[in-house]
Amino acid sequence: MRNDATYEEVAVPALRWTLDPCGKHLNHGSFGAVPVAVQREQQRLREVMDWNPVRWFSSLATNIATARVQMARLLDVPEDTLAFVLNASAGASVVYQRLMDRGPAHVVVTNHGYGAVSMGAQRLAERTGGTFRTVDIPLDAKSDDVLALVGEAITAAPTTLLVIDQITSATARAFPARELCLLAREHGAQSLVDGAHAPGVDPHPVCIDADWWVGNFHKFVCAPRGTAMLYSRDSDQALFPVIDSWGARDPFPARFDHTGTLDTTGWLVAPFAWQHLEDTIGWAEIRRRSAALADDAVGVLRGALEDLVDNPVPDVGMPVGPMRLLALPGGLGRTREEADALRVPFIDETGIALSFTSFGGVGYLRLSTHIYNAIEDYEYLAKVGVPLLHRWSIDSRRGA
Ligand SMILES: Cc1ncc(COP(=O)(O)O)c(C=O)c1O
């Protein structure tokens, strides 16, 4: 395959999906999609499990350990730093729980943080008698601006924990995660990096300078849902799984291999999913094609939106390969709740699955492309979806 080939010139090799062929799936970033081969491998394991459950669960921790070590090798991090968790939220919960009995937690998050992760951080601060502050970072802030604003916040008042995103959900942008972790450490604070979107998107997804990092493998990597990993820079022995089980007396990360009675076939399949996409298309090629398609999609949608909104393609400061942010017609998605509420009616009316987000009182639509998307998907969005959004925006302003 030529390196300079555009996505249109390269025939998509044999990756098959079970996505509804009548729909347009333009939101891989929220809940992923699992290729047929990966589903089959998981189903094969489930059949082994249901053939002899006692045998299965008796060797499960050993098998999880094997998959965990394989993932550490694929991600190029030391084996004793990485544990499986069910999702990014569970990984963050593990870290918050670890900090519960260490005195007041003085936590700093940003206004780009994932709501559920930031809420957990706030609860940690409240429960420990600490403080909780949110740093406001403009949408278009470049790396140096982000570092300056966060630096100001963590030096202005005691800070014990900085929670930052590697790739943001609502604003589809990157943050200088490594530099922020080093900055936090320099000022005596620990760092939790929310890398939910990073695996597969970033060629080196684990932020090894974070005290803790969490990443989802059920997003861009296309592993079955419920598959995420928690990294701890110094194999933090105070980390315990959300579910206390037989591993409690084992060291980190082995204690996370014990989950009680639970279907963790997704974890066992994670190395297969990673390798399957690598062997079928290759991660570098998937990243290249997804980014090229996202650029072309923005070109198509800019044309459809420019008569409806002032600035259809806002500057997000540090854009991310397969993700893009576009402004919604005025009046739509001014809050997270309003943005979320668009998702299902939009699918019902158009068949297009899209992420709607809200930031700073403005509504956006977020694209996250994957290898199964084609430019026709975005042409359809421009032709059918954008006029509907326009109509909804007029209705919402009339109702306001
Ligand atoms: C930035 C970010 N963090 C955390 C999460 C939570 O992921 P999960 O629902 O898998 O726990 C998401 C989900 O989309 C996210 O985008």
Side-chain angles (χ1 to χ4, degrees):
M1 190 177 292
R2 270 178 24 229
N3 273 341
D4 61 346
T6 65
Y7 63 85
E8 293 99 342
E9 292 174 287
V10 183
V12 180
L15 257 188
R16 291 196 300 121
W17 310 82
T18 50
L19 291 163
D20 174 3
C22 299
K24 305 280 181 209
H25 305 277
L26 312 188
N27 180 18
H28 188 91
S30 285
F31 307 109
V34 186
V36 170
V38 177
Q39 292 185 35
R40 289 216 173 122
E41 181 59 12
Q42 184 177 33
Q43 186 51 30
R44 186 186 68 77
L45 290 180
R46 284 185 168 143
E47 282 164 18
V48 177
M49 174 168 70
D50 282 313
W51 184 256
N52 192 331
V54 174
R55 179 111 201 34
W56 173 266
F57 281 100
S58 304
S59 47
L60 183 56
T62 310
N63 291 335
I64 289 174
T66 304
R68 154 169 74 71
V69 167
Q70 283 173 335
M71 290 308 294
R73 290 185 187 149
L74 288 169
L75 295 168
D76 198 21
V77 297
E79 288 166 17
D80 59 355
T81 61
L82 205 61
F84 275 114
V85 286
L86 287 169
N87 51 37
S89 310
S93 303
V94 165
V95 173
Y96 297 152
Q97 190 57 35
R98 183 242 183 266
L99 295 170
M100 270 301 294
D101 55 0
R102 311 288 150 131
H106 299 295
V107 188
V108 168
V109 303
T110 80
N111 56 336
H112 295 249
Y114 187 73
V117 171
S118 298
M119 274 177 353
Q122 181 164 14
R123 214 159 70 88
L124 166 70
E126 286 164 3
R127 291 169 79 193
T128 57
T131 54
F132 178 78
R133 286 175 298 137
T134 303
V135 191
D136 282 333
I137 296 178
L139 181 60
D140 62 355
K142 305 284 182 250
S143 177
D144 284 351
D145 305 323
V146 177
L147 285 164
L149 288 165
V150 173
E152 227 169 78
I154 59 182
T155 48
T159 305
T160 56
L161 178 68
L162 173 67
V163 182
I164 40 154
D165 291 63
Q166 201 167 356
I167 297 173
T168 64
S169 172
T171 50
R173 56 162 291 162
F175 266 22
R178 175 169 188 270
E179 291 81 354
L180 287 167
C181 293
L182 295 176
L183 185 73
R185 203 182 318 158
E186 198 184 306
H187 291 94
Q190 292 184 293
S191 52
L192 165 62
V193 171
D194 178 350
H197 291 275
V201 171
D202 188 321
H204 304 286
V206 182
C207 184
I208 55 172
D209 292 295
D211 287 285
W212 307 286
W213 169 94
V214 290
N216 276 338
F217 288 77
H218 50 228
K219 291 189 188 284
F220 207 69
V221 176
C222 304
R225 292 170 196 91
T227 307
M229 300 204 86
L230 168 65
Y231 161 86
S232 161
R233 185 163 55 90
D234 58 1
S235 302
D236 183 352
Q237 293 305 319
L239 294 172
F240 281 83
V242 170
I243 301 167
D244 253 334
S245 186
W246 287 102
R249 295 198 177 124
D250 294 342
F252 175 90
R255 68 172 68 116
F256 283 68
D257 299 340
H258 297 261
T259 57
T261 311
L262 195 69
D263 181 353
T264 47
T265 46
W267 299 2
L268 303 180
V269 172
F272 175 90
W274 181 286
Q275 202 57 50
H276 178 63
L277 272 81
E278 175 64 21
D279 293 344
T280 316
I281 300 172
W283 279 109
E285 177 60 12
I286 294 172
R287 280 190 284 275
R288 194 187 67 74
R289 287 172 54 103
S290 303
L293 179 57
D295 283 339
D296 286 359
V298 166
V300 168
L301 289 160
R302 186 197 297 273
L305 283 165
E306 61 197 354
D307 290 338
L308 311 179
V309 282
D310 288 341
N311 182 17
V313 189
D315 177 5
V316 298
M318 297 173 71
V320 175
M323 291 163 85
R324 294 291 181 278
L325 201 66
L326 293 138
L328 282 172
L332 289 182
R334 283 167 305 193
T335 63
R336 183 187 64 79
E337 290 79 4
E338 283 178 20
D340 278 353
L342 298 172
R343 222 190 302 194
V344 172
F346 195 67
I347 293 177
D348 290 346
E349 293 260 342
T350 65
I352 304 170
L354 205 56
S355 171
F356 298 100
T357 72
S358 179
F359 182 78
V362 178
Y364 295 98
L365 63 86
R366 187 193 74 189
L367 306 179
S368 47
T369 62
H370 211 292
I371 202 72
Y372 51 79
N373 290 123
I375 195 66
E376 291 76 21
D377 295 341
Y378 303 95
E379 288 165 356
Y380 184 78
L381 173 61
K383 193 169 156 210
V384 174
V386 170
L388 178 65
L389 291 169
H390 180 44
R391 256 200 337 270
W392 283 355
S393 87
I394 293 169
D395 292 349
S396 88
R397 283 200 298 264
R398 276 205 194 114

